[in-house]
Amino acid sequence: MKKIVKILGIIVGCIVLAAVGFCTYVALTGIPSYDPPAAPHLTVQKTPARIKRGEAIAHILCIQCHAAHDNRLTGKAMHELPELFGTLYSPNITQDKKAGIGNWTDGDLKYYLRTGVRPDGTFAPIMPKFPLMADDDVESIIAWLRSDRFEVQASQQEAPVSEYSFVTKFLAHTMMGAKPYEPTFQTIPDSTDEVAFGRYMANGLADCYSCHSADFTKQSREHPEQSAGFYGGGNEMKGEGGKTIFSANLTFDEQTGIGKKYTKAQFIKAVKGAVRPDGSILRAPMGPHPTLTDYEVGAIYEYLKTIPKIHNDVARKNADAQLAAK
Ligand code: HEC
Ligand code: HEC
């Protein structure tokens, strides 16, 4: 008996030592960086159609995090993310060669958007990665970043440097670290298969699941369906004026989800205009998505019908948070 206790003690001791060692390593090394990546050779065609598509995507994905008050992508403080991640700023991604990304190649940008690894091998722990976005759509974003649109014109203004918390460093060394670049070509699903197309729009492109699942730290970018509380909402974030807000449950659960709350037409209106059927406004960071088409949002609705229902009363949580803030 004594022997077993001793062996157990040694095992526990080793685990504790290893954990302490790993945490010290994380604290000392900070955000991991990698060998400079072998970015693909690529010249994106900057056709008007490409730029227009890229603009539509950027207006639901990139602008909300990178646009400063003047609407240029010079970077800003990321108040909407939980403080748990640190004091965060998005960088300048205008065409300026020094302050922005004017020196990056099209291939650098594609590699980065898929993996979060910059041309110099440093890693972006916070910005979402898009491993499931179709090649055409990634390249459309790149065409837009290179275009003559106002938002991306060179600006020398630089945002302050982020201070990442231990949690972010830890996650960047573990679950949220860089995944390999997959050179395989990915296409946009055929739009006649509404559910498959909606799944792509929601998970591969518009990133609806990351806010609408339970927890930013328990998600899989490669397999969104494995994310904790997939579309069950309740993910805590900061809204207007730094107030706590929980994302809505988008599963079709009758009581707590959108099953009974929204018809398809109402859902389309709500997502595009950020207004509920009763006229109430959807609060930040749920922004309006006016550049998505009715068909695209309708397909997301059809897809959401097919995922497992989760019973999670987020309206209640939000009401409680509002009371607590008073
Ligand atoms: C949730 C907020 C968020 C969204 C959405 C977002 N970004 Fe970022 N982006 C960041 C942050 C924060 C960084 C800094 C690195 C980090 O901390 O992860 C960053 C870094 C970058 C960089 C690296 C720039 C550098 O100099 O290091 C590029 C390029 C970039 N973003 C482009 C985009 C594009 C294009 C989109 C739209 C497809 C986009 N971002 C969407 C927050 C975001
Ligand atoms: C940046 C985080 C974020 C992203 C990305 C996001 N949402 Fe939301 N969404 C929220 C939050 C927070 C709320 C709750 C707003 C409120 O309570 O006023 C919300 C509310 C909603 C609602 C209202 C539900 C209800 O119960 O009334 C719908 C519908 C919705 N989102 C759909 C979507 C779709 C579709 C996408 C992708 C195109 C998406 N959201 C992307 C954060 C987000």
Side-chain angles (χ1 to χ4, degrees):
M1 188 62 198
K2 261 193 183 155
K3 207 170 171 194
I4 294 177
V5 173
K6 202 172 161 192
I7 294 173
L8 272 179
I10 293 173
I11 293 175
V12 170
C14 288
I15 294 175
V16 169
L17 260 183
V20 170
F22 183 66
C23 289
T24 313
Y25 168 75
V26 167
L28 290 177
T29 46
I31 304 296
S33 73
Y34 307 89
D35 289 336
H41 294 285
L42 177 76
T43 306
V44 171
Q45 299 304 314
K46 280 113 195 150
T47 58
R50 267 254 145 93
I51 294 171
K52 195 158 167 254
R53 170 77 177 167
E55 180 172 47
I57 300 171
H59 274 253
I60 54 167
L61 278 184
C62 323
I63 298 267
Q64 51 159 342
C65 280
H66 283 277
H69 290 306
D70 62 357
N71 254 341
R72 307 243 317 246
L73 302 192
T74 47
K76 65 166 188 112
M78 310 249 55
H79 295 304
E80 61 274 31
L81 293 174
E83 277 145 32
L84 174 79
F85 294 115
T87 309
L88 306 170
Y89 301 91
S90 62
N92 178 332
I93 57 165
T94 69
Q95 293 164 3
D96 190 73
K97 285 198 158 52
K98 218 174 130 258
I101 52 169
N103 270 336
W104 293 34
T105 66
D106 290 352
D108 289 341
L109 279 166
K110 185 164 179 186
Y111 196 100
Y112 176 83
L113 288 171
R114 289 231 185 279
T115 64
V117 178
R118 299 187 183 87
D120 64 2
T122 56
F123 179 59
I126 297 294
M127 161 143 166
K129 289 82 192 165
F130 301 96
L132 303 180
M133 196 185 281
D135 287 70
D136 268 337
D137 283 339
V138 174
E139 291 176 23
S140 294
I141 296 174
I142 297 171
W144 175 78
L145 287 167
R146 308 290 199 208
S147 73
D148 59 2
R149 296 295 203 269
F150 172 75
E151 298 99 319
V152 292
Q153 295 317 299
S155 157
Q156 290 174 356
Q157 192 182 314
E158 287 188 58
V161 177
S162 292
E163 275 175 45
Y164 298 112
S165 67
F166 178 77
V167 171
T168 299
K169 290 175 191 164
F170 186 83
L171 289 169
H173 276 277
T174 52
M175 293 92 93
M176 278 160 65
K179 306 289 183 306
Y181 179 81
E182 296 291 345
T184 46
F185 193 77
Q186 301 181 52
T187 53
I188 304 173
D190 189 341
S191 65
T192 55
D193 182 346
E194 209 177 359
V195 171
F197 182 69
R199 174 173 180 266
Y200 170 70
M201 287 306 300
N203 301 346
L205 187 128
D207 211 22
C208 313
Y209 79 94
S210 79
C211 283
H212 283 281
S213 299
D215 190 331
F216 285 119
T217 66
K218 294 181 187 141
Q219 309 196 332
S220 167
R221 302 297 301 178
E222 291 71 31
H223 306 283
E225 289 84 354
Q226 292 172 7
S227 302
F230 189 54
Y231 282 110
N235 195 355
E236 185 176 343
M237 47 200 87
K238 299 268 181 225
E240 208 72 58
K243 288 197 197 109
T244 298
I245 179 168
F246 297 95
S247 64
N249 181 345
L250 296 189
T251 71
F252 270 65
D253 182 65
E254 279 78 15
Q255 283 107 39
T256 62
I258 58 167
K260 283 218 174 112
K261 233 163 143 186
Y262 286 91
T263 64
K264 190 170 179 176
Q266 287 170 334
F267 182 81
I268 294 171
K269 226 174 135 199
V271 173
K272 290 184 74 169
V275 190
R276 288 198 186 82
D278 67 4
S280 62
I281 306 283
L282 290 179
R283 294 164 295 167
M286 176 67 203
H289 293 65
T291 60
L292 291 178
T293 65
D294 288 9
Y295 187 77
E296 287 170 338
V297 183
I300 293 177
Y301 184 84
E302 294 302 326
Y303 164 65
L304 290 172
K305 267 188 193 164
T306 68
I307 63 171
K309 296 174 185 174
I310 295 178
H311 187 90
N312 184 18
D313 194 350
V314 181
R316 181 79 233 207
K317 272 182 148 181
N318 269 324
D320 288 349
Q322 267 177 3
L323 271 182
K326 276 194 186 134

XYZ file of all heavy atoms in Angstrom, residues 60 64 80 201-202 206-212 216 235 237 245-250 256-258 261-262 267 270-271 276-277 281-287 289 292 297 300 304 318, ligand 2:
389
model
N -17.832 42.138 -43.987
C -18.387 41.407 -42.842
C -17.278 40.831 -41.963
O -17.521 40.494 -40.824
C -19.367 40.292 -43.263
C -18.725 39.357 -44.267
C -20.639 40.872 -43.799
C -19.514 38.091 -44.468
N -14.631 45.160 -39.301
C -15.035 45.293 -37.898
C -13.833 45.265 -36.953
O -13.876 45.876 -35.888
C -16.026 44.184 -37.526
C -15.533 42.799 -37.891
C -16.226 41.682 -37.114
O -16.829 41.912 -36.087
N -16.130 40.457 -37.615
N -13.798 44.676 -27.864
C -14.871 43.683 -27.819
C -14.395 42.302 -27.371
O -15.193 41.445 -27.037
C -15.615 43.600 -29.155
C -14.782 43.195 -30.357
C -14.076 44.385 -31.009
O -13.738 45.352 -30.284
O -13.847 44.336 -32.218
N -20.922 29.105 -45.964
C -21.060 30.533 -45.649
C -20.877 30.769 -44.143
O -20.201 31.690 -43.723
C -22.453 31.044 -46.068
C -22.675 31.199 -47.559
S -21.444 32.208 -48.397
C -21.633 33.771 -47.556
N -21.508 29.919 -43.336
C -21.514 30.136 -41.886
C -20.182 29.779 -41.230
O -19.709 30.497 -40.349
C -22.636 29.319 -41.244
N -18.110 33.307 -43.265
C -18.556 34.449 -42.448
C -18.253 34.283 -40.963
O -18.502 35.185 -40.182
C -20.038 34.703 -42.659
N -17.741 33.101 -40.578
C -17.248 32.933 -39.216
C -18.344 33.108 -38.153
O -18.079 33.567 -37.061
C -16.126 33.952 -38.958
C -15.104 33.417 -37.969
O -15.028 32.187 -37.815
O -14.405 34.224 -37.344
N -19.573 32.713 -38.483
C -20.672 32.867 -37.526
C -20.443 31.979 -36.303
O -20.767 32.369 -35.183
C -22.015 32.496 -38.135
S -22.348 33.217 -39.763
N -19.892 30.787 -36.515
C -19.803 29.837 -35.394
C -18.859 30.316 -34.297
O -19.040 29.972 -33.130
C -19.374 28.436 -35.876
C -17.888 28.307 -36.123
C -17.032 27.833 -35.134
C -17.344 28.670 -37.341
C -15.666 27.745 -35.349
C -15.989 28.577 -37.567
C -15.153 28.114 -36.564
O -13.812 28.025 -36.774
N -17.822 31.122 -34.646
C -16.825 31.418 -33.615
C -17.429 32.279 -32.505
O -17.167 32.054 -31.333
C -15.564 32.037 -34.208
O -15.737 33.395 -34.475
N -18.282 33.228 -32.855
C -18.963 34.002 -31.813
C -20.143 33.227 -31.231
O -20.470 33.378 -30.060
C -19.478 35.328 -32.366
S -18.191 36.571 -32.582
N -20.802 32.421 -32.062
C -22.049 31.794 -31.621
C -21.883 30.418 -30.999
O -22.871 29.766 -30.674
C -23.059 31.760 -32.775
C -23.711 33.090 -33.021
N -24.738 33.556 -32.246
C -23.451 34.079 -33.914
C -25.104 34.762 -32.659
N -24.320 35.105 -33.675
N -14.544 31.015 -27.074
C -13.493 31.257 -28.076
C -12.301 30.314 -27.896
O -11.588 30.029 -28.849
C -12.968 32.697 -27.969
C -13.896 33.731 -28.534
C -14.408 34.733 -27.729
C -14.241 33.705 -29.878
C -15.260 35.700 -28.254
C -15.099 34.668 -30.417
C -15.609 35.665 -29.595
N -21.462 32.644 -25.598
C -20.051 33.046 -25.609
C -19.980 34.484 -25.095
O -20.655 35.366 -25.611
C -19.532 32.954 -27.048
C -18.027 32.996 -27.146
O -17.336 33.185 -26.144
N -17.523 32.817 -28.353
N -18.707 38.134 -24.530
C -17.869 39.150 -25.178
C -18.245 40.528 -24.669
O -19.138 40.667 -23.843
C -17.974 39.035 -26.699
C -19.349 38.902 -27.262
S -19.315 38.212 -28.939
C -19.333 36.451 -28.616
N -21.806 40.965 -22.916
C -22.927 40.478 -23.711
C -22.627 39.040 -24.119
O -21.472 38.672 -24.324
C -23.170 41.386 -24.942
C -24.320 40.854 -25.792
C -21.937 41.568 -25.783
C -24.804 41.825 -26.851
N -23.677 38.216 -24.146
C -23.512 36.820 -24.543
C -24.127 36.632 -25.927
O -25.195 37.163 -26.210
C -24.210 35.907 -23.535
C -23.614 36.000 -22.159
C -24.153 36.856 -21.209
C -22.499 35.246 -21.818
C -23.597 36.962 -19.938
C -21.938 35.345 -20.545
C -22.488 36.200 -19.611
N -23.447 35.861 -26.762
C -23.958 35.649 -28.125
C -25.214 34.783 -28.076
O -25.401 33.990 -27.153
C -22.888 34.975 -28.983
O -22.601 33.695 -28.471
N -26.059 34.944 -29.089
C -27.349 34.249 -29.128
C -27.193 32.778 -29.504
O -26.252 32.383 -30.188
C -28.259 34.950 -30.130
N -28.168 31.991 -29.054
C -28.259 30.574 -29.409
C -28.890 30.494 -30.801
O -30.043 30.878 -30.989
C -29.159 29.898 -28.349
C -29.320 28.410 -28.567
O -28.999 27.892 -29.645
N -29.825 27.718 -27.563
N -28.140 30.002 -31.787
C -28.658 29.942 -33.157
C -29.092 28.537 -33.567
O -29.355 28.281 -34.740
C -27.612 30.451 -34.168
C -27.171 31.912 -34.093
C -26.302 32.260 -35.303
C -28.345 32.872 -34.004
N -35.139 27.969 -26.520
C -34.045 28.921 -26.315
C -33.304 29.287 -27.604
O -32.450 30.168 -27.601
C -33.023 28.355 -25.308
O -32.471 27.153 -25.865
C -33.670 28.049 -23.975
N -33.610 28.600 -28.691
C -32.910 28.874 -29.945
C -33.766 29.718 -30.873
O -34.658 30.443 -30.425
N -33.521 29.593 -32.178
C -34.258 30.445 -33.110
C -35.375 29.687 -33.808
O -36.069 30.246 -34.663
C -33.313 31.064 -34.173
C -32.569 29.979 -34.964
C -32.323 32.020 -33.527
C -31.891 30.515 -36.202
N -38.534 31.429 -33.158
C -38.414 32.885 -33.126
C -38.372 33.517 -34.508
O -38.834 34.635 -34.701
C -37.095 33.213 -32.411
C -37.206 34.174 -31.259
C -35.926 34.037 -30.446
C -35.424 35.308 -29.880
N -34.114 35.094 -29.238
N -37.765 32.802 -35.451
C -37.500 33.404 -36.765
C -38.019 32.550 -37.918
O -37.706 31.363 -38.002
C -35.992 33.534 -36.980
C -35.333 34.640 -36.193
C -34.818 34.402 -34.923
C -35.197 35.907 -36.739
C -34.196 35.411 -34.201
C -34.571 36.920 -36.031
C -34.078 36.670 -34.768
O -33.457 37.670 -34.069
N -35.180 35.915 -40.476
C -33.766 35.655 -40.198
C -32.892 36.452 -41.177
O -31.914 37.098 -40.784
C -33.499 34.147 -40.320
C -32.092 33.735 -40.024
C -31.657 33.566 -38.714
C -31.183 33.498 -41.055
C -30.350 33.176 -38.432
C -29.874 33.105 -40.784
C -29.454 32.949 -39.472
N -32.913 40.016 -40.200
C -32.177 40.267 -38.955
C -30.667 40.247 -39.198
O -29.937 41.110 -38.709
C -32.555 39.226 -37.899
N -30.206 39.269 -39.951
C -28.756 39.148 -40.155
C -28.243 40.272 -41.049
O -27.191 40.860 -40.794
C -28.401 37.755 -40.739
C -26.929 37.683 -41.112
C -28.761 36.665 -39.739
N -34.242 42.682 -35.007
C -35.096 41.517 -34.762
C -36.499 41.761 -35.327
O -36.875 42.909 -35.563
C -35.218 41.258 -33.267
C -33.972 40.711 -32.625
C -34.307 40.065 -31.264
N -33.086 39.664 -30.585
C -32.328 40.514 -29.876
N -32.679 41.768 -29.747
N -31.233 40.073 -29.285
N -37.292 40.685 -35.466
C -38.660 40.854 -35.985
C -39.481 41.840 -35.148
O -40.348 42.531 -35.684
C -39.257 39.444 -35.890
C -38.083 38.525 -35.877
C -36.938 39.272 -35.276
N -32.962 46.235 -31.822
C -31.684 46.231 -32.543
C -30.771 45.143 -31.982
O -30.694 44.964 -30.764
C -30.973 47.587 -32.338
C -31.899 48.749 -32.719
C -29.649 47.652 -33.071
C -32.046 48.974 -34.183
N -30.110 44.437 -32.844
C -29.097 43.478 -32.382
C -27.848 44.269 -31.986
O -27.344 45.070 -32.772
C -28.755 42.488 -33.482
C -29.868 41.504 -33.814
C -29.440 40.579 -34.928
C -30.236 40.704 -32.575
N -27.390 44.033 -30.785
C -26.298 44.854 -30.246
C -24.927 44.372 -30.709
O -24.727 43.193 -30.992
C -26.353 44.823 -28.709
C -27.609 45.498 -28.160
C -27.835 45.126 -26.717
N -28.115 43.704 -26.561
C -28.102 43.071 -25.396
N -27.805 43.717 -24.294
N -28.381 41.784 -25.330
N -23.967 45.307 -30.704
C -22.583 44.987 -31.060
C -22.064 43.946 -30.064
O -22.512 43.949 -28.917
C -21.732 46.251 -30.974
N -21.149 43.085 -30.464
C -20.469 43.084 -31.766
C -21.229 42.381 -32.893
O -20.622 42.106 -33.915
C -19.164 42.364 -31.456
C -19.495 41.422 -30.360
C -20.566 42.088 -29.554
N -22.539 42.092 -32.725
C -23.291 41.538 -33.860
C -23.606 42.678 -34.801
O -24.500 43.476 -34.548
C -24.585 40.884 -33.361
C -25.486 40.365 -34.472
S -24.770 38.958 -35.366
C -25.661 39.051 -36.921
N -22.839 42.784 -35.862
C -23.047 43.886 -36.787
C -24.014 43.505 -37.884
O -24.334 42.331 -38.066
N -24.995 42.713 -41.678
C -24.238 42.049 -42.747
C -24.872 42.374 -44.098
O -25.327 41.470 -44.806
C -24.235 40.527 -42.531
C -23.477 40.074 -41.335
N -23.845 40.382 -40.043
C -22.363 39.311 -41.221
C -22.985 39.831 -39.186
N -22.074 39.175 -39.882
N -24.065 40.484 -47.547
C -24.450 39.107 -47.857
C -25.760 39.154 -48.648
O -26.607 40.013 -48.390
C -24.662 38.300 -46.566
C -23.421 37.983 -45.724
C -23.816 37.233 -44.450
C -22.414 37.164 -46.516
N -27.756 34.245 -46.866
C -28.230 34.196 -45.472
C -29.323 33.125 -45.317
O -29.354 32.393 -44.326
C -28.752 35.578 -45.005
C -29.158 35.511 -43.547
C -27.679 36.649 -45.185
N -27.740 29.871 -44.852
C -27.234 29.695 -43.481
C -28.382 29.198 -42.594
O -28.216 28.270 -41.787
C -26.651 31.024 -42.924
C -25.391 31.418 -43.689
C -26.335 30.889 -41.423
C -24.767 32.757 -43.280
N -28.462 25.826 -40.418
C -28.623 25.823 -38.950
C -29.712 24.837 -38.514
O -29.637 24.250 -37.437
C -28.944 27.238 -38.436
C -27.782 28.240 -38.518
C -28.263 29.650 -38.163
C -26.625 27.829 -37.600
N -28.259 37.214 -20.578
C -28.086 38.618 -20.953
C -28.867 39.536 -20.020
O -28.377 40.592 -19.628
C -28.528 38.839 -22.405
C -27.377 38.657 -23.383
O -26.231 39.009 -23.086
N -27.658 38.088 -24.529
C -18.342 39.168 -33.477
C -19.237 38.161 -32.968
C -20.399 37.737 -33.829
C -20.358 37.263 -35.126
C -19.147 37.103 -36.031
C -21.723 36.930 -35.479
N -22.570 37.195 -34.448
Fe -24.594 36.978 -34.440
N -24.685 37.734 -32.578
C -23.605 38.096 -31.787
C -24.094 38.594 -30.517
C -23.249 39.100 -29.369
C -25.514 38.531 -30.565
C -26.505 38.979 -29.488
C -26.980 40.386 -29.807
C -27.957 40.913 -28.800
O -28.291 40.203 -27.846
O -28.406 42.069 -28.979
C -25.843 37.995 -31.873
C -27.157 37.797 -32.322
C -27.504 37.182 -33.508
C -28.863 36.912 -33.931
C -30.129 37.229 -33.141
C -30.647 35.993 -32.461
C -31.814 36.203 -31.537
O -31.989 35.370 -30.661
O -32.546 37.180 -31.699
C -28.785 36.285 -35.155
C -29.949 35.808 -36.008
C -27.378 36.177 -35.488
N -26.619 36.735 -34.477
C -26.889 35.581 -36.640
C -25.539 35.597 -37.014
C -25.037 35.066 -38.271
C -25.873 34.351 -39.317
C -23.700 35.317 -38.302
C -22.718 35.041 -39.434
C -23.064 35.660 -40.705
C -23.363 35.986 -37.064
N -24.490 36.137 -36.306
C -22.076 36.402 -36.716
C -22.285 38.031 -32.158
C -21.804 37.681 -33.403
